[in-house]
Amino acid sequence: MSDGRDPAVSAGAPDRESVAPPPSFVAQANVTDPDIYREFDEEWPECWRRAADRLTWTSQYDSVLSTADGIDWFPGGELNASYNCVDRHVEAGRKNHAAIKWEGKLGETRTYTYQDLYREVNAFAAALREMGVEEDDVVTLYMPVLPELVVAMLACARIGAVHSVVFAGFSADALATRMENAGSALLITCDGYYRRGTAVDLKSKADNACLSVSQDVDQVVVDRLEGPSYPGDHRSYEDCIDAHDGEVVEPVARESGDLLFYIYTSGTTGEPTEVRHTTGGYLSHVAWTSHAVFDLEPSDTHWCTADVGWITGHSYVVYGPLAIGATTVLFEGTPDPPGKDRFWEVIERNAVDVFYTAPTSIRAFMKWGEEVPARHDLSSLRLLGSVGESIDATAWEWYHEHIGGGECPIVDTWWQTETGGVMLSTLPGVDEMRPGSVGRPLPGIDAEVVDEFGEEAPTGESGQLVVTKPWPGMPVALREGTDWARTARGDPDDEHWAYSTGDGAVADEDGYVTLLGRLDDVVNVSGRRLGTTEIESAIIGVEGIAEAAVVGGEDDLKGTTIHAYVSPAANVAGTDDLRQQVRAAVEDAIGPVAVPEEITFTSALPKTRSGKILRRYLEAIANGEQPEDTSSLRNPEVVGELESLVDE
Ligand code: WTA
C-alpha cells in the first residue's frame, strides 16, 4: 500500500502524473492519517462503529454486524433518519443555520434554516398521518428538485413510511410501473416545472399514472408554477402545511434494518430494478462518506448537482449533508440555459465549499471555454468531486485547474444505486490522486478486480469489479439472500461471497482502480443510468417492428448516446413516420432521457448461430469502427447492409 503522500509514487500508472493533496487542504481535513486503511482492515467489521457513531441512535445497537440470519448491520439499534437530519441540529443550537439553499429554475432562491425545515417536516408528517399513512407504507414522490421534495422525504422518514422518489423526467408509464410495483397508494407531486422558460405540465402525467395502476392513489400537489393552482381532486401541499403548522410529530424509532426508501434503477432486464435501502446501514454509510470523502463539516455549503430523483441526489444532496448538519444547495436547473454562467453564479453567490458533479457537465464546461468560470470568484471552493462515469485525464486537469484553481483536491467517487454510498475513491486528506483512476476501495470496503473465473486478476489486467465483503450501505436484497456466515468461516470448499458490480475495471500495483465501463446491458447517458433491454421492449411494442437492439455509442459530450438498430416487420418500410413512432414509444415508456439519438433501420439484426444478437458488432458500427471477426454470424449478409449505413 502506498503511503499516499509521495507524488513520486506513480508506479503502475506510468502515463499519469500523480497529484498530492495540497498541504493547505490536508491541514484542515477530517481524515489525514494514512493508517486508517490498516486500522479499518484489522478492526473489520468493528471499524464501522466510526460510521454509525456519527449518528444519534435512540437505542444503541447490540453489535456492528450480525450474520446469524442474512446480514444485519447494527442489529438491535434504533434511530430515525429525520431526527438525525433535522432535530439534532436544532437541539445542538443551530436552528438558524441554513439547511437548504434552493436555486430555482427561473433564478428564484429560497433558504430553509434547520428550524424552518423542522417546522415544515413536522407539519407535513402530521398531514401524512392524517391521510392515514402508516409505518412501512410506500409514498411515491414525483417532482423536480424543490425543497418540498426534501421535506416530503424527511416527513416520510419521520413517521417510518418508506419513500420512493421517481425522477420527474420519467414518463407516466414509468411512474405507474414503479407505483404498482411498490403498492404505493399516495403520490406527492407538483403541477409542473419550467423548461427553457416555458411551463411543462407534470400533473397530467401523474394523473395518467394514477389511472393506470390497480390500487386507488391519493395525490398531494405542490404549487410550483405561477398562476392559478391546478384544479382537480387532490389535496394541496400548501393546505396540508397550513392545516398542521406548529404541530410536532414524535420521530418514530426505526430498527436499523427497517426500510428508509425504495429507488428504482435500470438493470439487465426489461423492467426497472427495485433497490431498497435501510435506515441504519445506509445512513451510517452516507454520513461517514460525507465526512471522510467529502470532508464535510456543519459549517460547509455542499453542492451536489445531481437530481434528487437519482441515488446521488438521495445520498449526497439530502441524507449525507443533512446528517452532517451542513448546508446543502438544491439546484432545480441545468447548466444552461439561461447563459453559461449559471453554475459559477450559484457557487459564487452561495460561497460553495464542496462541489460534486458529473464528467458530462465538465465536458460541456470545457467546450464553453475557461473564460466562463474565470469571470466568477470561485475561491470559496475547497474540494471537488466527480461521479457517474469515468473522468478522463484531460477533463480532470481542466476541472482541477479552471474550477479548483489548482488548489482543490478532486475525489473521483465510484459507487452505484445498489451500494447506497461511495465505495471507491481517494481520501482527499490522505491519498494522492491519479487522474482517470478513482483510487482504492475506501477503508472498510473490500473490492477487487476478478477474471471470468472469479479469481483476482493480475495487476494491470482487466476484469470485473466485485465487492468481497458486506458494507453498511448494502441494499436489502443482498442482505437477505446472503449466507455470509458460511463463507466468512473460510471453508475452502465454499465459494467466496461477492457482489458483482457489472463494471469492467483494472487495478494498478498500488490498488488504484480505473473503471472501464459496464459489462452488461446498462448504459450511462450523461451520468444517467438506463437499461438497453427496457428501451428495446418499448421499441418492439411499436406496431410494424419485428426486432430491436440498443447499444451505447461513444459521444464527446454525453459520454454515451443511445443507438437503436431496428428491424421492421416484413413489408413494413423504415419511414420517418415509423422513426417518429419509435421515439414516441420510448418517450412514453421511459421518458425523454431514453430516446435514441440515432435510429437505424435494417432488414435484420446480426446474430450468432445460437440466435443471440451480436451487440459488440453493433457497438463497433455505432462508433464507426470496423467490427471484428464476423465469422460467427448466422446471417453475415446483414454485414454489408449495416456497414454501408454507417458510411452514409
Ligand atoms: C458508473 C451512480 C466510472 C458505473 C452513483 C456504475 C462510474 C454506474 C463512476 C452506477 C466513476 C459511477 N467512474 N464510472 N467515478 N461512478 N460510475 O447506479 O458504471 O446511477 O456501475 O449510480 O455508474 O450508476 P448509478
Side-chain angles (χ1 to χ4, degrees):
M1 187 187 297
S2 114
D3 69 4
R5 295 289 176 102
D6 182 358
V9 185
S10 54
D15 50 341
R16 295 189 208 120
E17 286 283 321
S18 289
V19 183
S24 57
F25 182 89
V26 177
Q28 62 75 57
N30 286 340
V31 178
T32 53
D33 184 358
D35 271 350
I36 189 171
Y37 285 96
R38 191 181 45 74
E39 287 166 11
F40 266 63
D41 207 28
E42 287 172 7
E43 293 165 22
W44 197 93
E46 286 300 306
C47 56
W48 283 110
R49 247 178 226 287
R50 294 203 219 179
D53 293 351
R54 306 207 73 77
L55 303 178
T56 305
W57 298 74
T58 41
S59 298
Q60 183 59 21
Y61 45 92
D62 302 326
S63 66
V64 171
L65 179 66
S66 154
T67 54
D69 177 19
I71 297 174
D72 261 325
W73 283 95
F74 316 115
E78 290 186 343
L79 75 169
N80 182 281
S82 154
Y83 177 84
N84 272 279
C85 292
V86 188
D87 306 39
R88 62 172 181 158
H89 308 310
V90 174
E91 288 168 11
R94 284 185 289 109
K95 63 180 181 194
N96 288 327
H97 188 68
I100 293 174
K101 286 193 163 181
W102 178 70
E103 292 276 345
K105 181 73 192 178
L106 303 181
E108 320 93 308
T109 58
R110 272 154 73 187
T111 299
Y112 276 64
T113 63
Y114 274 97
Q115 177 65 29
D116 297 333
L117 193 58
Y118 175 81
R119 207 174 164 94
E120 197 157 319
V121 167
N122 271 284
F124 199 58
L128 290 175
R129 276 257 172 88
E130 193 210 68
M131 284 180 261
V133 178
E134 293 181 0
E135 228 181 308
D136 289 317
D137 285 351
V138 181
V139 179
T140 303
L141 314 179
Y142 180 59
M143 66 182 100
V145 179
L146 301 175
E148 289 81 356
L149 175 55
V150 180
V151 170
M153 291 166 82
L154 295 168
C156 287
R158 193 165 193 90
I159 61 169
V162 178
H163 59 70
S164 168
V165 183
V166 177
F167 173 56
F170 277 141
S171 66
D173 276 3
L175 173 62
T177 312
R178 287 155 175 78
M179 286 201 296
E180 181 84 49
N181 177 289
S184 178
L186 180 63
L187 175 66
I188 322 291
T189 184
C190 73
D191 46 1
Y193 53 87
Y194 293 99
R195 190 163 60 204
R196 296 180 195 273
T198 52
V200 180
D201 173 24
L202 192 67
K203 179 68 169 77
S204 60
K205 284 199 211 172
D207 288 343
N208 287 338
C210 290
L211 287 175
S212 65
V213 295
S214 50
Q215 68 271 30
D216 285 337
V217 182
D218 288 332
Q219 290 189 41
V220 177
V221 180
V222 175
D223 187 7
R224 164 69 184 108
L225 300 178
E226 285 157 2
S229 333
Y230 204 96
D233 181 20
H234 59 253
R235 283 162 217 256
S236 111
Y237 175 90
E238 292 73 16
D239 289 349
C240 289
I241 299 300
D242 287 347
H244 296 279
D245 190 32
E247 287 178 34
V248 172
V249 175
E250 221 19 64
V252 169
R254 299 282 281 165
E255 284 180 20
S256 176
D258 282 346
L259 287 184
L260 181 60
F261 65 85
Y262 277 51
I263 185 164
Y264 290 84
T265 186
S266 298
T268 50
T269 66
E271 289 289 305
T273 311
E274 160 208 289
V275 178
R276 287 169 294 155
H277 281 294
T278 61
T279 312
Y282 169 83
L283 205 60
S284 299
H285 193 137
V286 299
W288 162 252
T289 44
S290 295
H291 166 83
V293 177
F294 296 108
D295 199 48
L296 285 186
E297 285 289 322
S299 54
D300 281 325
T301 298
H302 181 250
W303 182 21
C304 164
T305 64
D307 192 290
V308 173
W310 306 99
I311 191 69
T312 311
H314 280 62
S315 301
Y316 299 110
V317 176
V318 182
Y319 286 111
L322 295 181
I324 296 277
T327 302
T328 188
V329 175
L330 276 190
F331 182 70
E332 193 194 20
T334 42
D336 77 322
K340 308 224 180 301
D341 289 71
R342 196 80 177 90
F343 270 36
W344 321 123
E345 283 164 7
V346 170
I347 291 180
E348 187 169 0
R349 183 166 49 243
N350 295 290
V352 169
D353 299 271
V354 179
F355 177 60
Y356 187 32
T357 195
T360 180
S361 304
I362 299 167
R363 289 191 296 266
F365 306 148
M366 284 172 74
K367 204 174 123 203
W368 298 339
E370 63 217 43
E371 57 285 3
V372 184
R375 289 197 284 262
H376 298 270
D377 177 6
L378 305 181
S379 60
S380 61
L381 290 172
R382 181 173 90 245
L383 177 69
L384 303 175
S386 173
V387 65
E389 55 180 311
S390 294
I391 175 167
D392 62 89
T394 316
W396 194 100
E397 298 293 352
W398 191 92
Y399 194 31
H400 189 245
E401 183 62 32
H402 298 292
I403 307 305
E407 286 294 317
C408 302
I410 297 177
V411 285
D412 181 358
T413 62
W414 180 92
W415 58 293
Q416 301 178 311
T417 306
E418 292 85 343
T419 72
V422 177
M423 301 289 277
L424 273 74
S425 171
T426 46
L427 289 173
V430 173
D431 297 311
E432 62 181 20
M433 300 159 271
R434 294 186 187 160
S437 157
V438 292
R440 288 172 290 180
L442 291 178
I445 302 290
D446 275 43
E448 57 190 40
V449 178
V450 298
D451 64 19
E452 57 197 300
F453 306 108
E455 299 296 330
E456 189 163 1
T459 300
E461 284 188 24
S462 59
Q464 180 171 192
L465 180 67
V466 299
V467 185
T468 53
K469 270 188 192 162
W471 66 98
M474 68 198 297
V476 173
L478 279 181
R479 293 167 183 231
E480 284 173 345
T482 302
D483 189 354
W484 163 257
R486 188 171 55 92
T487 56
R489 277 194 295 272
D491 183 337
D493 292 336
D494 279 337
E495 286 198 6
H496 287 297
W497 182 86
Y499 162 66
S500 302
T501 68
D503 272 16
V506 57
D508 71 18
E509 58 193 40
D510 296 315
Y512 274 58
V513 174
T514 298
L515 275 303
L516 304 171
R518 297 288 302 202
L519 298 169
D520 53 14
D521 299 335
V522 171
V523 286
N524 287 329
V525 178
S526 300
R528 281 158 183 187
R529 179 167 153 185
L530 301 165
T532 53
T533 324
E534 257 177 282
I535 305 173
E536 285 162 6
S537 320
I539 298 177
I540 294 164
V542 174
E543 205 181 314
I545 303 280
E547 275 192 313
V550 167
V551 297
E554 287 160 26
D555 184 85
D556 285 351
L557 220 52
K558 296 181 174 172
T560 306
T561 50
I562 298 168
H563 292 240
Y565 292 87
V566 179
S567 153
N571 305 323
V572 175
T575 57
D576 277 347
D577 181 47
L578 191 60
R579 203 182 294 274
Q580 206 35 53
Q581 287 181 45
V582 167
R583 288 204 186 94
V586 178
E587 178 154 352
D588 283 351
I590 306 169
V593 279
V595 172
E597 196 102 334
E598 301 271 348
I599 298 171
T600 306
F601 287 117
T602 165
S603 63
L605 296 172
K607 300 220 175 115
T608 63
R609 285 181 209 288
S610 62
K612 278 186 86 168
I613 296 169
L614 256 185
R615 287 162 194 288
R616 262 183 298 113
Y617 177 90
L618 289 171
E619 250 163 40
I621 299 273
N623 291 319
E625 290 159 11
Q626 196 56 41
E628 287 168 17
D629 187 16
T630 52
S631 58
S632 63
L633 281 185
R634 181 170 74 179
N635 51 352
E637 65 280 4
V638 301
V639 170
E641 185 185 333
L642 284 168
E643 286 174 15
S644 70
L645 285 169
V646 169
D647 292 335
E648 271 173 19

